[in-house]
């Protein structure tokens, strides 16, 4: 699609915000927005990340799209209140990263959780009969403990995903693998600590990141505006936007529960406070 008024877009900075847990809906929205950035020929992108992370595959796809886009567009990531685990991974797709001194970041690692309800099911007299094609087809079944071979299979899975994570951080930040491994043990750290570790480039607010982005593409930081690309709101949401605070809180809680249930048994790049 050919967009009109290209000169107007070339004098602006595109802005994409990633907030909350990263899953399929986030991936779809962000990938669409990244296509718009390329089509409208914005000279730069400010990527605002305020996320504890999320699913591995969705984070990797967003990162890959950012890495491809930055061949044509300058990309600066701004870490907000929290940019941890998968949020860090996505940030690696940016050319430069800025964080607040107190930003919670890090949590570089992988987690996989299942639920064992065996004792509860015994108390209520419920059991399951399973017919399976192989010994591991019901791995992480909620009605029994893991076997030792199953634990090893899952540990190998986690170790592979972890290696992918630290390799990406090392490559993106020009760090040695062992240097990344020394702090990529699941711990969280502040933006100030991240600067010392080489995970981010500068400390500052989103406004500081905007000005930095403008300067990188020779735009006036005092006059350059951001064009936020987001999913259009429905007419009802726009009309009722001022009265939806309580509803949004309930919706956020529901979304988090859905995320927890939907990702049970999946490897996650997610910080769990």
């Amino acid at each position: 699609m050919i967009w009109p008024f290209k000169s107007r877009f070339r004098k602006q900075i595109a802005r994409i915000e990633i907030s909350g847990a990263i899953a399929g809906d986030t991936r779809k929205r962000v990938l669409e927005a990244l296509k718009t950035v390329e089509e409208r020929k914005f000279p730069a992108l400010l990527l605002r990340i305020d996320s504890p992370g999320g699913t591995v595959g969705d984070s990797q796809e967003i990162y890959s799209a950012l890495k491809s886009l930055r061949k044509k567009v300058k990309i600066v990531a701004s870490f907000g209140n929290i940019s941890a685990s998968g949020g860090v991974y996505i940030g690696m797709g940016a050319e430069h990263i800025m964080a607040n001194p107190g930003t919670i970041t890090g949590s570089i690692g992988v987690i996989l959780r299942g639920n064992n309800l065996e004792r509860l099911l015994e108390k209520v007299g419920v059991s399951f009969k399973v017919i399976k094609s192989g010994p591991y087809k019901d791995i992480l079944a909620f009605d029994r403990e893991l076997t030792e071979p199953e634990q090893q299979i899952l540990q190998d899975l986690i170790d592979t995903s972890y290696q992918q994570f630290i390799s990406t951080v090392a490559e993106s930040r020009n760090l040695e693998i062992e240097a990344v491994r020394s702090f990529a043990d699941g711990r969280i750290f502040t933006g100030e600590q991240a600067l010392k570790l080489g995970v981010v480039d500068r400390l500052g607010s989103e406004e500081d990141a905007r000005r930095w982005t403008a300067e990188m593409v020779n735009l006036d930081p005092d006059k350059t505006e951001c064009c936020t690309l987001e999913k259009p709101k429905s007419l009802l949401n726009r009309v009722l936007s001022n009265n939806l605070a309580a509803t949004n809180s309930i919706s956020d809680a529901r979304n988090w529960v859905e995320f927890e249930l939907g990702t049970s048994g999946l490897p996650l790049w997610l910080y769990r406070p």
Side-chain angles (χ1 to χ4, degrees):
M1 179 177 181
I2 300 176
W3 294 90
F5 313 118
K6 288 183 179 179
S7 60
R8 174 166 63 89
F9 295 129
R10 286 172 179 159
K11 295 179 181 178
Q12 292 180 333
I13 295 171
R15 178 183 180 275
I16 298 174
E17 183 171 348
I18 297 176
S19 59
I22 299 161
D25 287 345
T26 304
R27 172 182 53 80
K28 292 176 185 177
R29 176 180 62 82
V30 173
L31 293 185
E32 288 176 2
L34 293 177
K35 287 182 181 178
T36 301
V37 172
E38 184 174 3
E39 289 173 349
R40 294 186 180 181
K41 299 187 183 300
F42 285 98
L45 167 64
L46 176 59
L47 185 69
R48 177 68 169 181
I49 304 174
D50 207 331
S51 169
T55 50
V56 173
D58 294 309
S59 299
Q60 287 183 324
E61 288 197 31
I62 295 173
Y63 161 78
S64 295
L66 287 166
K67 189 175 179 181
S68 177
L69 181 63
R70 77 182 189 197
K71 297 174 183 176
K72 304 176 182 179
V73 176
K74 293 289 185 182
I75 303 176
V76 174
S78 168
F79 288 178
N81 291 316
I82 178 171
S83 183
S85 206
V88 172
Y89 193 95
I90 288 175
M92 295 300 107
E95 190 172 3
H96 301 289
I97 303 174
M98 181 175 281
N100 292 293
T103 293
I104 297 299
T105 186
S107 189
I108 298 172
V110 193
I111 186 170
L112 182 152
R113 297 201 311 179
N115 301 305
N116 182 7
L117 306 180
E118 183 178 9
R119 294 175 62 185
L120 174 62
L121 294 172
E122 286 177 355
K123 288 183 178 181
V124 297
V126 176
S127 63
F128 295 87
K129 301 299 181 183
V130 179
I131 309 299
K132 52 188 178 180
S133 58
Y136 306 120
K137 187 59 181 174
D138 65 339
I139 197 168
L140 276 178
F142 62 82
D143 60 330
R144 64 176 179 81
E145 286 283 356
L146 283 170
T147 64
E148 288 189 8
E150 287 174 332
Q151 290 184 32
Q152 187 59 54
I153 288 171
L154 293 176
Q155 188 62 59
D156 291 342
L157 176 70
I158 293 298
D159 291 345
T160 299
S161 180
Y162 173 69
Q163 185 61 40
Q164 292 170 3
F165 201 152
I166 62 174
S167 295
T168 296
V169 174
E171 178 186 354
S172 300
R173 305 306 300 165
N174 294 316
L175 298 171
E176 295 294 328
I177 286 283
E178 290 308 312
V180 176
R181 198 185 299 276
S182 70
F183 58 77
D185 52 9
R187 76 182 73 176
I188 56 173
F189 36 83
T190 66
E192 186 173 6
Q193 291 171 314
L195 178 64
K196 294 177 181 178
L197 293 170
V199 176
V200 306
D201 298 296
R202 293 186 185 181
L203 299 180
S205 65
E206 182 179 2
E207 172 60 15
D208 295 326
R210 182 197 65 79
R211 295 181 66 87
W212 186 22
T213 307
E215 292 169 353
M216 288 173 55
V217 290
N218 299 315
L219 294 176
D220 186 343
D222 293 323
K223 298 179 180 179
T224 302
E225 298 178 351
C226 279
C227 177
T228 299
L229 304 175
E230 58 186 355
K231 187 177 180 179
K233 294 181 179 179
S234 68
L235 177 60
L236 180 61
N237 280 344
R238 291 199 299 270
V239 172
L240 300 179
S241 60
N242 293 331
N243 300 315
L244 289 177
T247 304
N248 286 340
S249 297
I250 295 172
S251 178
D252 290 344
R254 184 192 64 204
N255 290 340
W256 185 257
V257 171
E258 290 177 350
F259 176 82
E260 288 281 351
L261 293 175
T263 58
S264 177
L266 291 179
L268 299 174
W269 289 337
L270 182 70
Y271 165 55
R272 296 181 181 273

